[in-house]
Amino acid sequence: MTSLRPAAFGPRLLATTALFGALIGAFALAPAVQAQTTNAPPPAATVRTDVPADRPWMDTSLDASTRADLILKEMTLAEKLQLTFGYFSTDQKWQVTPIKNYVFPKEGLPDSAGFVPGIPRLGIPNQWQTDAGVGVATQRSPNPRQRTALPSGIATAATWNPEVAEAGGAMIGNEAFLSGFNVQLAGGMNLLREARNGRNFEYGGEDPLLAGVITGHEMKGIQSNHVISTMKHYAFNGQETNRNQMDHQISDQAARESDLLAFEIANEIGQPGSVMCAYNRVNGFYACENDWLLNQVLKTDWGFKGYVMSDWGATHSTTQAANAGLDQQSGWAFDRSPYFDGALREAVNNGYVSQDRANDMARRILWAMFDVGLFDHPVNGDQATTIDYAKNGKISQTDAEEGMVLLKNTPGLLPLSKTAKSILIVGAHADVGVLSGGGSSQVYPIGGSPVPDEFAPNGFPGPKTWYPSSPMKGIQARTQATVTFLDGKNVKAAAAAAKKADIVLVFGEQWTGEGIDAPDLHLPNNQDALIEAVAKANKKTVVVLQTGGPVVMPWLSKVGAVVEAWYPGTNGGEAIARVLTGEVNPSGHLPATFPASLDQTPRPVLEGDPKLDADSHPMSNYNIEGAAVGYKWFDKKGYKPLFPFGHGLSYTTFALSDLTAAPEGKGLKASFSVKNTGAVAGKEVAQVYVSGSGWEAPKRLGAFKKVEVAPGQSESVSVTVDPRLLATYDSASKTWNIAAGDYKVMLATSAADIAQTITVHIDAQTLNVKGQ
């Protein structure tokens, strides 16, 4: 979604970003706590043995489609269309500039994303909607909900572990349910085409397989709690600059082999009840009134049975949007007009939108509500007092620990030596907390932010929020060394102190958020100079990064070690301390390429212009790279990145060998061995890449597996390569075609580090639009 989005709302109703999010921020609630695995789903509803005669759709033995058809027969047109129109659910008294013609829905949950009224006479429940992908978010207000935050989406993708992603999804879905919500606007997965994108932290990286698998499992976890998850932002919402106007041009083939393939895989795994269409245009049409995206690809080719909801402020018409496949206008009054209120009823009555289409819109919403369990497992108000925050904090912590990437390590520097007598920590408020990303996904910390908002106290995507989990305190609890902290604002003082310390930990941060893109890939506020000076003073300098995505590192050769911690969530400080001290062996691998400079990217200059007005129509050319996103672009161009996709070191060493592969079914099966050749237990991410002719790039990620191996032991692993990853898509016939010939199968630890390559012959195959 959503929130007080400058770009969503501003171009329509307000003039500037400053008019958004100008709500008074404050925090207060229970103290922070910690603990372990996933919460159990909410208690199962009692299965009805005597179904009311007047409500046959409450028969739980029937499938969702049958139940939706039964209730649809009893609904008036007005009732059907009521389900297609949602309201923003935040009281306007907190806004500096109230929304015109907006009335807060009395039954909506305060300071939340949205509300869609149900129909009591038929037992159709209300839809209470909450942001977002890292937990139960709150619109900015004096008394925000304080809930458990997962690490950022890109951090979860860096785990390369579907089980961790699903456990995290189950946890935040449970907190949503117990907070009174039955729709969670989570499932973000736009591929990382633009390294400066302000929302990269919410998404799953640059590869369609990895992003699709990780996001699919998160959505699956959310929906295990009878909470609808929304796959978003469909599609090609690759930057925040001009996001409401930008027209991204891309061919059907390139789209199907990149971003759309990611959505397709996630949909197959997660089975989300809803898809959220994006703000931007694609090939000339807004995503929320794009027949190709919504009717042709999503609903016809993939057979999606759920409903399409708009992003908040992404609806632009009534008949065009409804006929092109939009089923629900969300978050009124972010849009210019209440298109799906009275205007939609008028359009149906005069035939511009057919009765069949009106029925289809309502049926899709009802189908999702039956399928996910909103009828049979109704939310029961706010039960937040029953949330086990200690247990949930541990789930978040596990995610953070598995997603942290050891990018560089001088032997003997990390894990931190137990003989060190003095450790200096510099920068990024590491004495009190860890950073989070900004915007509608903001989960407010239990106990409040330990750092006053230093960036935008009255503006979206702020406030710049920190979670009160101190890396410094975590390290102090695990070492006998004297640990001191400097804020790093005085570079000379930091360098002088560094000379006297045995080890220096410099915490670098890059705050990113919805509605704004990063100006470049450098750490802001002179942090590069700080790191350079400290490293010059002490070679035993470790840099810990908290960033929303890739950054450049002009100081890389001068520091001893680098850890990418991303935005590590509620227990992030504890997770960082455990990784740095060796209590946890790092096992994260990059879900995105870190370029050496912007000159290596498809668009060194960001497309668009923040100064353009709401009625502009800027153009973007995604056909430059087409389906060759991320590492595929680097392979195609022969560029050497700063760090390649899939890269990640460990405190132990691994040997990958014994690769075999052969066609199996319509795809390919590969088997291999992973041996731990070091002295400590660890987890390796074994990656299988495939290479064929006539593709968008020299190779594609075909499969992956995270494997835990004890010292001196070996594990045998088998993986399957999806046939779509061996094929090219033909738009004319709507088929996936595998050409006959020899294919390279590569066993690797990153896109640039290939351990073994073999050749396999595959016969020609033609697969249908679903790759079957």
Side-chain angles (χ1 to χ4, degrees):
M1 184 208 146
T2 161
S3 183
L4 300 177
R5 307 181 165 202
F9 206 130
R12 299 294 165 206
L13 299 172
L14 303 176
T16 64
T17 299
L19 295 177
F20 277 88
L23 307 178
I24 302 168
F27 314 112
L29 261 192
V33 278
Q34 9 176 326
Q36 230 162 10
T37 55
T38 181
N39 280 335
T46 303
V47 177
R48 297 169 175 81
T49 55
D50 54 336
V51 179
D54 62 340
R55 293 187 178 182
W57 52 85
M58 295 309 297
D59 184 346
T60 56
S61 68
L62 301 175
D63 62 42
S65 295
T66 301
R67 297 175 74 182
D69 285 338
L70 284 170
I71 198 169
L72 197 66
K73 293 176 182 177
E74 304 301 320
M75 298 174 70
T76 65
L77 176 62
E79 288 171 334
K80 294 171 186 175
L81 297 184
Q82 181 174 309
L83 300 179
T84 72
F85 187 69
Y87 300 84
F88 185 42
S89 189
T90 293
D91 198 314
Q92 292 305 285
K93 65 185 178 183
W94 307 127
Q95 285 200 259
V96 173
T97 305
I99 306 171
K100 294 180 180 179
N101 304 317
Y102 175 79
V103 178
F104 177 73
K106 293 181 180 179
E107 293 182 86
L109 295 180
D111 310 316
S112 65
F115 173 76
V116 181
I119 302 169
R121 81 171 186 90
L122 298 173
I124 299 175
N126 296 328
Q127 296 169 57
W128 288 282
Q129 302 165 325
T130 180
D131 284 307
V134 299
V136 179
T138 301
Q139 307 304 307
R140 202 167 176 182
S141 74
N143 297 295
R145 293 171 189 80
Q146 299 181 347
R147 300 291 187 266
T148 309
L150 288 171
S152 56
I154 198 169
T156 300
T159 70
W160 292 62
N161 191 331
E163 293 179 0
V164 167
E166 190 164 331
M171 182 273 286
I172 65 172
N174 181 264
E175 287 203 2
F177 185 92
L178 294 176
S179 299
F181 296 103
N182 52 18
V183 179
Q184 190 157 24
L185 310 179
M189 53 176 306
N190 298 86
L191 293 191
L192 198 157
R193 289 178 177 268
E194 173 50 69
R196 291 158 291 196
N197 181 10
R199 299 187 82 174
N200 281 335
F201 75 92
E202 296 187 46
Y203 302 144
E206 69 191 24
D207 182 77
L209 176 65
L210 178 62
V213 168
I214 295 297
T215 308
H217 278 277
E218 183 186 22
M219 293 189 297
K220 185 177 179 182
I222 289 169
Q223 293 197 160
S224 70
N225 292 275
H226 315 297
V227 173
I228 290 173
S229 182
T230 59
M231 188 167 68
K232 65 181 188 180
H233 302 94
Y234 185 77
F236 305 101
N237 193 169
Q239 65 183 63
E240 291 300 280
T241 301
N242 303 135
R243 67 177 181 177
N244 283 279
Q245 304 90 26
M246 187 64 77
D247 189 345
H248 296 295
Q249 300 292 302
I250 188 165
S251 72
D252 180 67
Q253 179 185 352
R256 302 268 191 163
E257 294 175 1
S258 58
D259 297 63
L260 295 186
L261 181 58
F263 279 105
E264 187 175 13
I265 291 169
N267 177 56
E268 292 164 355
I269 294 170
Q271 300 283 296
S274 179
V275 167
M276 181 188 290
C277 50
Y279 288 122
N280 52 279
R281 296 176 173 100
V282 182
N283 295 334
F285 298 93
Y286 283 110
C288 288
E289 51 186 59
N290 194 304
D291 180 76
W292 169 62
L293 283 177
L294 305 183
N295 284 334
Q296 296 179 43
V297 176
L298 179 66
K299 294 181 177 180
T300 301
D301 295 344
W302 300 349
F304 178 69
K305 292 183 179 180
Y307 65 102
V308 176
M309 65 159 63
S310 71
D311 206 336
W312 274 229
T315 306
H316 297 276
S317 65
T318 300
T319 57
Q320 295 94 326
N323 289 331
L326 180 64
D327 301 303
Q328 187 180 80
Q329 178 182 5
S330 307
W332 167 253
F334 273 81
D335 297 297
R336 186 171 282 177
S337 178
Y339 298 108
F340 278 21
D341 193 16
L344 179 58
R345 187 173 179 182
E346 183 82 9
V348 174
N349 284 330
N350 65 27
Y352 290 119
V353 175
S354 70
Q355 288 279 352
D356 285 346
R357 174 63 184 128
N359 288 338
D360 179 59
M361 295 165 77
R363 181 187 292 108
R364 288 177 172 279
I365 296 166
L366 292 165
W367 179 89
M369 295 173 76
F370 279 120
D371 187 64
V372 179
L374 274 63
F375 279 84
D376 306 318
H377 304 268
V379 290
N380 188 26
D382 190 341
Q383 304 176 65
T385 57
T386 67
I387 294 174
D388 189 338
Y389 291 109
K391 177 187 287 187
N392 292 353
K394 287 296 185 181
I395 296 169
S396 175
Q397 182 177 320
T398 296
D399 191 332
E401 291 167 355
E402 288 222 13
M404 290 182 190
V405 184
L406 181 61
L407 294 173
K408 176 182 178 179
N409 191 23
T410 300
L413 185 51
L414 288 179
L416 294 173
S417 172
K418 294 182 179 179
T419 62
K421 294 181 179 180
S422 61
I423 298 174
L424 173 66
I425 298 177
V426 181
H429 302 291
D431 57 330
V432 294
V434 291
L435 187 59
S436 62
S440 61
S441 65
Q442 184 69 66
V443 177
Y444 286 86
I446 299 165
S449 176
V451 181
D453 185 11
E454 59 192 342
F455 181 73
N458 292 310
F460 187 89
K464 186 176 181 180
T465 301
W466 303 75
Y467 295 126
S469 178
S470 165
M472 180 176 175
K473 290 180 181 177
I475 291 167
Q476 287 174 321
R478 293 170 171 81
T479 182
Q480 299 299 312
T482 299
V483 183
T484 56
F485 176 78
L486 289 175
D487 61 20
K489 293 178 181 179
N490 186 323
V491 174
K492 289 183 179 180
K499 287 182 180 180
K500 302 175 184 178
D502 290 339
I503 299 171
V504 184
L505 307 177
V506 182
F507 282 71
E509 58 93 351
Q510 174 212 44
W511 184 65
T512 60
E514 180 181 357
I516 52 173
D517 291 321
D520 52 46
L521 299 184
H522 286 274
L523 297 177
N525 302 321
N526 206 37
Q527 291 178 88
D528 286 335
L530 170 67
I531 295 170
E532 186 99 22
V534 168
K536 185 177 181 180
N538 191 325
K539 293 182 179 180
K540 291 185 176 181
T541 294
V542 178
V543 177
V544 180
L545 295 170
Q546 295 175 79
T547 70
V551 292
V552 295
M553 306 175 199
W555 35 261
L556 180 62
S557 64
K558 300 178 179 66
V559 303
V562 182
V563 175
E564 175 59 83
W566 315 105
Y567 302 146
T570 288
N571 281 24
E574 190 75 0
I576 289 171
R578 279 164 53 85
V579 167
L580 293 179
T581 59
E583 210 170 290
V584 170
N585 192 346
S587 62
H589 284 242
L590 291 180
T593 305
F594 276 42
S597 73
L598 281 171
D599 289 338
Q600 293 182 327
T601 66
R603 282 165 290 279
V605 177
L606 187 68
E607 293 177 320
D609 183 348
K611 297 177 183 177
L612 294 175
D613 64 34
D615 297 312
S616 62
H617 192 143
M619 303 298 291
S620 164
N621 186 9
Y622 278 179
N623 285 314
I624 293 173
E625 71 274 28
V629 180
Y631 67 92
K632 298 175 184 177
W633 171 262
F634 279 74
D635 283 353
K636 183 178 180 179
K637 293 293 184 179
Y639 295 148
K640 183 180 180 180
L642 188 66
F643 290 107
F645 172 82
H647 172 74
L649 304 176
S650 171
Y651 296 151
T652 189
T653 54
F654 298 94
L656 278 61
S657 61
D658 304 325
L659 175 64
T660 63
E664 182 174 280
K666 294 182 179 181
L668 182 123
K669 182 178 180 180
S671 300
F672 51 87
S673 176
V674 180
K675 183 176 182 179
N676 186 334
T677 56
V680 295
K683 297 177 182 180
E684 176 64 298
V685 176
Q687 302 157 45
V688 174
Y689 293 86
V690 288
S691 177
S693 60
W695 290 1
E696 73 281 1
K699 66 177 181 287
R700 299 168 175 168
L701 179 66
F704 62 89
K705 181 71 174 179
K706 195 165 199 176
V707 188
E708 185 170 13
V709 192
Q713 299 299 306
S714 296
E715 293 289 336
S716 297
V717 181
S718 293
V719 294
T720 300
V721 178
D722 188 300
R724 288 169 293 193
L725 297 171
L726 300 167
T728 55
Y729 186 79
D730 180 69
S731 298
S733 61
K734 286 195 173 186
T735 57
W736 292 90
N737 297 288
I738 301 175
D742 292 336
Y743 290 73
K744 289 182 180 179
V745 180
M746 293 160 275
L747 180 61
T749 55
S750 81
D753 298 290
I754 311 298
Q756 189 178 356
T757 302
I758 61 174
T759 300
V760 176
H761 183 83
I762 300 178
D763 293 333
Q765 291 188 68
T766 298
L767 313 170
N768 66 20
V769 71
K770 295 182 179 180
Q772 300 170 345

